[in-house]
Amino acid sequence: MNGQSDAHSFQATRENFQSEVIEASREKPVLLVFFAPQMPASVEQARALQQLATAYAGAFRLGLVDMSVDPSLAQPMRVQGLPSVRAVRDGGLAGALDGPQPDSELKKLIDSLTMSSSDLLREQLGEMIAREDFSSALGVVRQALAEEPNNTAFLVELADLLALTGRIADARNALDKVPEETDGRNRVVTRLALISRTEALPNLGELRAAHDTSPESVSAKCQLAVKLASMNRCEQALELAFSVFVSDRTFDDDAARKLMLDIFDLLAKGSPLAKTYRRKMFNYLH
């Protein structure tokens, strides 16, 4: 950290505070990092934020406040120690972090400022769904819809949660209100189709027992994989489906490959799990 600004950061001072922070924050969020060269931890925090500003490619602007040069901004921004980070959006204070912070906390603050409401909701729901806390997830998405009743992205998430919790008719009704071109809608369509395929299958315990009894049976593997995928246990489902994919491409008209593609539809964009298995498929085919 040399105190120099770059494409995504600038020197914030009392003189430019109104124009470069307050007014500019109405167009794009501004983060202020308060540091002093004689305090290494604060310098590291400023350096980390400069790197994140570059990584986020201009989603926010970073104001560098060198307290050794001008401490006058500390009082209006309620800074009592270093390092400190203040977020400004739409002309007002939108967040604060005091003391050294890991990148994960810095990213959490940045995401809260730069992500759309639907992206933030999807991320929050993803954590709840991962621990199968569907009740809390439904509460969160219903509250979001109460605040933004015309947000079709929220309606997609409601339909998906209803499907995951076995309320199929309600899920279909919710999905009928979502335009076909809405991002994420196909995920719910795929999930409902997978759930429909499980209606004629035995329960999970029986499917596991059948697989354990005949571990090389591609039919037992595929049936168990479909059941697991319908329950959002995607990693286990992909492992089984890939096993069939490499052992018998002819089974049920290449059913394993098609199932893997369906599971990819269930996963979030950029999912590391999807990337891993797409790479495995590519490597096997080539």
Side-chain angles (χ1 to χ4, degrees):
M1 177 73 198
N2 54 20
Q4 295 182 351
S5 57
D6 54 29
H8 304 301
S9 64
F10 64 97
Q11 301 295 322
T13 65
R14 190 178 190 86
E15 287 73 24
N16 67 13
F17 188 79
Q18 183 63 33
S19 61
E20 295 295 327
V21 178
I22 300 300
E23 296 302 327
S25 74
R26 303 185 193 282
E27 300 295 328
K28 182 184 294 187
V30 177
L31 258 65
L32 297 172
V33 55
F34 293 79
F35 71 98
Q38 64 270 29
M39 298 185 67
S42 71
V43 173
E44 286 299 319
Q45 190 88 109
R47 182 184 291 114
L49 278 165
Q50 280 194 299
Q51 292 171 347
L52 286 171
T54 299
Y56 275 74
F60 70 96
R61 289 209 72 202
L62 177 65
L64 306 170
V65 185
D66 186 341
M67 295 283 281
S68 69
V69 174
D70 182 3
S72 62
L73 292 178
Q75 184 174 358
M77 300 306 290
R78 300 177 184 176
V79 172
Q80 298 181 341
L82 300 180
S84 285
V85 178
R86 296 293 182 267
V88 183
R89 182 173 58 189
D90 297 327
L93 189 63
L97 293 172
D98 292 301
Q101 303 291 329
D103 278 4
S104 59
E105 288 301 312
L106 297 176
K107 289 178 181 178
K108 188 181 297 184
L109 175 61
I110 294 168
D111 287 343
S112 72
L113 298 167
T114 60
M115 291 174 69
S116 68
S117 57
S118 57
D119 286 339
L120 283 170
L121 178 70
R122 196 171 295 121
E123 186 173 275
Q124 186 178 7
L125 292 177
E127 296 173 358
M128 295 177 179
I129 292 170
R131 59 178 185 265
E132 299 188 355
D133 186 2
F134 298 118
S135 177
S136 295
L138 278 167
V140 167
V141 77
R142 289 190 188 282
Q143 178 61 39
L145 275 167
E147 296 172 2
E148 297 183 45
N150 297 320
N151 191 318
T152 54
F154 292 176
L155 198 54
V156 166
E157 301 308 325
L158 175 62
D160 202 27
L161 280 166
L162 291 169
L164 277 169
T165 53
R167 298 164 64 178
I168 305 304
D170 290 340
R172 294 189 189 281
N173 287 337
L175 195 62
D176 286 343
K177 301 173 185 177
V178 179
E180 290 192 3
E181 68 275 9
T182 302
D183 185 41
R185 189 181 190 277
N186 191 56
R187 167 171 33 105
V188 189
V189 172
T190 300
R191 194 182 307 284
L192 287 169
L194 285 168
I195 291 171
S196 179
R197 288 174 62 183
T198 67
E199 290 175 357
L201 295 178
N203 63 40
L204 180 61
E206 292 173 318
L207 289 170
R208 287 195 186 279
H211 175 256
D212 292 342
T213 300
S214 304
E216 299 307 316
S217 167
V218 293
S219 177
K221 286 181 180 179
C222 268
Q223 289 186 350
L224 179 55
V226 169
K227 185 68 172 180
L228 289 167
S230 74
M231 299 170 67
N232 209 46
R233 299 180 184 180
C234 295
E235 185 167 6
Q236 298 173 55
L238 280 170
E239 183 178 355
L240 286 165
F242 184 72
S243 175
V244 175
F245 174 74
V246 299
S247 65
D248 189 353
R249 292 287 306 282
T250 64
F251 175 74
D252 197 15
D253 193 24
D254 208 8
R257 181 185 64 84
K258 294 173 183 176
L259 176 57
M260 292 179 74
L261 296 179
D262 283 342
I263 297 170
F264 294 155
D265 281 344
L266 300 181
L267 296 169
K269 290 180 180 179
S271 162
L273 182 61
K275 288 181 180 179
T276 295
Y277 276 91
R278 286 186 188 278
R279 185 166 54 250
K280 285 184 175 185
M281 290 177 71
F282 178 84
N283 290 340
Y284 176 77
L285 292 172
H286 297 86

